[in-house]
Amino acid sequence: MKKLFFFISINIFSFLTFAQNAEITLPGVTTYIPSSVEQKLVITAEEIEAAHYESLSEVIEKAGIQILSYGPYGLETKPSIRGFTDETVRVVIDDICVNNAQYGTFDFSTINLDAVERIEIVRGGFTEGVEDEGAVGGVIYITMKKQELKNFLITDTALKTFFNSDRPLDSVFQKLSFAGRPGDNTFINASGALNYATNRYLYKVDNTLSLLQGPFGAALTSGDDGQVYQGKAGVWKRAENSQVTDGQVNASLTHYFGDGNYFSFGELFYGGHKNTPGPVNSLNPGLQRDYNNNLSFSLWNPALADGLFNLKNILVWLSNNRFYKDREGAENSSHFINTVKYTASADFTSLAAGRLRQLLGLSADFTNLKSTNDGQHIQFSGVIKETTKLVLGSGAGGSWTLNVPLAVKLCVNDNKGNFAFVPKAGVAWQGQSLELFTDVYRMVQFPNMDDLFWEGGGFHGNPELKPESGWGADLGMNLRGLQFSEGKKQGALNFGLTLFSNYYKDKIQWGSGTTQNLSSAFYLGLDFTAEVSFFAGFWTVDLNGEYLYNRLLDKTNEFTYGKRIMWTPDFVCTLVNSLNFELARISLTASYTGRRYTSNMNIYYLKPYLLVGLTAEGAAIKGKFTPYLKVDNLLNWQYQSVDGYSMPGISLTAGVKYQFF
């Protein structure tokens, strides 16, 4: 550890010697290599702002990705990409992987969307970046805002109702954003949010107190003839014990000191006080308190050796603290996770006359866990990764690129370790408007600390777990920037389609009271994305989704062999229609989630559901005052994302943004 910090100190000292006067200049870089052969879905700050999303999980869901949700705002949500769970989906914030070492997940409610500059979603395990290596289902890259060219102070206040006559006003959301420029090359960005949600929405049950499923608060049932019939009206119930009070604070200080070099201090803090109701038949709900902190220092030198390569160093302290008890205080638990993480990356952008690009990355983590259920443990983990991009040939019609990411992963818990080599290779052809690509990759997922050490509630972990592993392949195409026009009907089309296949083995599951490497599985599917604009951008249509076929392959279990993996829908899709009037912007969103089995035996299933939302934002009055309205679940669809957990029906949010300067 002393050697590590000595190495960091030497690097920081050497980079600061590049400091010059305040002038910022970047040498030109010559390269013939496409910026990426990954198929990324990019969501900008402008799109987030226009949609007035409530949380990060809502952003991901509207991108055509399945979200496993246990309730309304503030309660647990989990993304599932290509049928893989949230533990295999990496979340990277400003080049740092922030997945929790204990659970393997990331709490999406901890991010204030006003502080987000850009979100990039990569499906599957083929990743070029060298920030970390561990993606199986995919990666969600989040870039936070660091500098604005002008000063501003903006408030955003929103009120929400579920049309519950007992409590007409249910939730209040207050946000504040500030950007300042104390010097020519020094930038301050800060934002905060304070949210209070009673979450006393209405839902329906039948005479056995089972949740109904269907639009407009009525059940839909299937007859023996396969037809769908209207069921009984059911009884309205009011959600209880779902109150959430939480807040986020985000701040960064960035200073440029010549030739584009900069250093940045960042702080992300989250505090949440959450009533966790459990399934509708739960008699003893819990109370959960979360306090998370992310303190970082970054140093970037983007144009060393006359633009030959750039260098980035990041040192981060991650702290995740959770306290839990049930309403009667019968079970109290506390969990303290502290991680120190160092990453370094070098990008040689213009080698071999611009036909070769080399990325090198190092990530090293030290985690200390002290948990009521897991005990006290330490973990060392790290990744060394390189990505080589090479132009194989080019001409007037396009160019071929070979992409070879190679990584070595290491994870040591106490005195036991895991080691893995993760090779990947991809080839892409890129023309003026068309891109074709194919890749093959290995996937490795080490067990999280809960899987290894958990004790409590009749369950216990398994320190002898093998890592999950597998292989995957993609075959895809992208059409970019196709223009069409007929009179005033000017428009553009972007379209992407990816066929993927995965074989995965030694899947870690909880069974028989402990964690075990229980099964293997096969996945085959199709990702699709499309963006069309008409009438010079007046009307835009965005379509994102996924079709998935999967089967369990463990022949030792005759009850599950050949069955579909639980919770994985066959089809997920989101369609967004946006109209940009001179005085208003209106968006209509429809998100569909297909049928999901509640167990791997495939006996019972949750029915498909369609969520329709409407957002309307007025033009800024005198450039300062912007009103907006948002209706979620417009059809009042009664649905379950996870078996037994009620979900909100129709709601209305009214808000206003005001820019002081």
Side-chain angles (χ1 to χ4, degrees), residues 457-468:
F459 295 91
H460 60 89
N462 180 1
E464 306 301 327
L465 284 173
K466 300 177 182 177
E468 301 176 347

Side-chain angles (χ1 to χ4, degrees), residues 138-330:
V139 184
I140 300 172
Y141 295 99
I142 302 172
T143 303
M144 308 301 287
K145 294 178 180 177
K146 295 182 180 63
Q147 63 269 342
E148 298 284 350
L149 296 180
K150 61 180 181 179
N151 300 339
F152 63 75
L153 176 64
I154 300 175
T155 65
D156 187 343
T157 304
L159 308 176
K160 182 176 182 179
T161 179
F162 288 110
F163 301 100
N164 180 351
S165 59
D166 293 340
R167 185 177 286 272
L169 176 59
D170 184 271
S171 307
V172 180
F173 306 97
Q174 178 63 62
K175 299 179 181 179
L176 182 68
S177 302
F178 170 77
R181 196 172 180 182
D184 288 342
N185 299 311
T186 303
F187 302 86
I188 295 176
N189 259 73
S191 63
L194 184 61
N195 313 301
Y196 174 79
T198 306
N199 289 327
R200 300 190 76 178
Y201 55 91
L202 301 174
Y203 63 92
K204 267 191 173 181
V205 296
D206 61 17
N207 55 2
T208 66
L209 299 183
S210 298
L211 290 167
L212 296 184
Q213 301 179 70
F216 300 103
L220 293 179
T221 58
S222 298
D224 294 336
D225 57 0
Q227 298 297 315
V228 177
Y229 299 93
Q230 196 74 24
K232 295 182 179 180
V235 178
W236 287 107
K237 302 278 288 184
R238 183 176 59 234
E240 303 288 348
N241 305 303
S242 299
Q243 179 181 312
V244 172
T245 303
D246 66 0
Q248 306 107 344
V249 175
N250 311 275
S252 68
L253 171 67
T254 304
H255 177 69
Y256 288 84
F257 53 92
D259 289 342
N261 301 293
Y262 76 75
F263 63 81
S264 178
F265 291 94
E267 165 66 16
L268 305 177
F269 175 80
Y270 173 80
H273 188 279
K274 307 176 182 181
N275 290 277
T276 54
V280 293
N281 59 1
S282 174
L283 300 177
N284 191 10
L287 176 63
Q288 179 178 305
R289 290 176 293 138
D290 291 325
Y291 303 100
N292 301 325
N293 194 69
N294 180 335
L295 180 63
S296 63
F297 173 76
S298 304
L299 187 62
W300 189 35
N301 301 96
L304 300 178
D306 293 327
L308 177 63
F309 71 101
N310 61 58
L311 201 59
K312 180 177 287 188
N313 282 257
I314 308 175
L315 182 63
V316 176
W317 169 52
L318 301 172
S319 177
N320 303 101
N321 303 307
R322 171 169 292 180
F323 307 92
Y324 182 86
K325 67 178 181 179
D326 61 23
R327 184 167 58 185
E328 283 132 16

Side-chain angles (χ1 to χ4, degrees), residues 559-618:
F559 298 105
T560 62
Y561 177 73
K563 301 295 180 63
R564 189 175 186 88
I565 301 174
M566 60 188 294
W567 305 125
T568 57
D570 52 358
F571 189 67
V572 179
C573 180
T574 295
L575 178 68
V576 181
N577 279 277
S578 299
L579 297 174
N580 301 292
F581 296 96
E582 183 177 353
L583 298 178
R585 173 188 170 95
I586 300 175
S587 294
L588 182 67
T589 302
S591 298
Y592 174 83
T593 299
R595 187 172 70 172
R596 294 134 293 139
Y597 287 102
T598 59
S599 77
N600 287 334
M601 296 179 66
N602 290 185
I603 299 175
Y604 303 105
Y605 61 85
L606 301 179
K607 295 176 182 177
Y609 59 87
L610 176 70
L611 302 180
V612 178
L614 179 68
T615 302
E617 179 185 78

